[in-house]
Amino acid sequence: MACTAETLAAALRAAATVIAEHRAELIDLDRAIGDADHGENLDRGFTAIVSALDAMAPETPETPAAVAKLAATTLISKVGGAAGPLYGTAFLRASVKLGDTTEVDGPLLVEALRAALEGVQARGKAVGGDATMVDALIPAVSAAEEASGEDIAAILTAAADAADKGAESTVDLVPRKGRASYLGERAKGHLDPGARSTALLLRAFAEAAK
């Protein structure tokens, strides 16, 4: 089944619910190695996305790209810290890749995920092993590319599975980017909140696609 503007909007609503459910967890993860605002910021951002979608109801943008751009601009304008610019850039780069198509197939979805990763890396200057959201995104995109011949639900499930493992890998890393990097070795042993939220979002999208 292809992804349309309506199904992407539904996936964003599902993601907002998941972020709200895990808000306290993300705050706690960030409190250990950051400034404890990741869960609050993301929850605010995705709540704002839902509000923006509601404001358009019963109309929905005509293309998935328009929905992704709406998510991007909302996150960039409403979310503080690193989360807003990074996730906003991810959605914005994905929207550019999606173009004006009204139905996104598996291969185009994979291209959009790759564009999102490249946008995050361009914005945050992080690479694999830095203990950031990139450590969840890199394996997620690789898994999506390997599953590109499958349907969208299977592609996103593969990405979410890989993101879960990538996020867990940050526990054994010494952060080299962001506020956590100030702690050096003391940050080792903690799950990166951005990697965790990336895994949560991909899982929410995968479940919505099913």
Side-chain angles (χ1 to χ4, degrees):
M1 184 178 72
C3 171
T4 64
E6 288 77 13
T7 56
L8 180 53
L12 287 168
R13 291 179 185 277
T17 299
V18 168
I19 292 299
E21 290 171 349
H22 290 268
R23 172 181 169 275
E25 175 197 350
L26 294 172
I27 288 173
D28 288 343
L29 288 174
D30 199 26
R31 182 179 292 116
I33 56 174
D35 46 17
D37 66 350
H38 188 65
E40 184 67 41
N41 285 341
L42 265 192
D43 186 38
R44 182 189 310 117
F46 275 84
T47 298
I49 289 173
V50 172
S51 295
L53 291 170
D54 287 345
M56 291 183 166
E59 294 183 6
T60 301
E62 292 184 0
T63 64
V67 176
K69 187 175 181 180
L70 172 68
T73 55
T74 302
L75 290 172
I76 291 170
S77 64
K78 300 291 186 183
V79 180
L86 289 172
Y87 277 118
T89 299
F91 278 108
L92 192 59
R93 290 290 188 92
S95 73
V96 172
K97 181 61 67 174
L98 294 176
D100 58 3
T101 185
T102 56
E103 293 192 351
V104 177
D105 60 12
L108 182 55
L109 171 64
V110 171
E111 289 184 29
L113 289 171
R114 170 61 65 181
L117 167 61
E118 291 173 352
V120 168
Q121 290 193 281
R123 187 72 185 244
K125 310 303 181 187
V127 297
D130 282 346
T132 70
M133 64 190 290
V134 167
D135 287 297
L137 268 177
I138 287 176
V141 172
S142 293
E145 288 173 340
E146 290 180 8
S148 63
E150 306 291 333
D151 62 24
I152 283 177
I155 291 170
L156 288 172
T157 298
D161 289 345
D164 283 337
K165 293 177 182 177
E168 288 295 332
S169 77
T170 64
V171 172
D172 298 319
L173 298 174
V174 176
R176 295 194 293 253
K177 293 289 181 182
R179 190 176 294 270
S181 66
Y182 303 156
L183 298 175
E185 288 283 345
R186 287 177 294 161
K188 195 172 181 179
H190 293 282
L191 181 67
D192 179 72
R196 174 62 174 151
S197 63
T198 296
L200 287 171
L201 289 172
L202 284 170
R203 183 66 64 192
F205 294 150
E207 292 301 312
K210 293 177 181 177

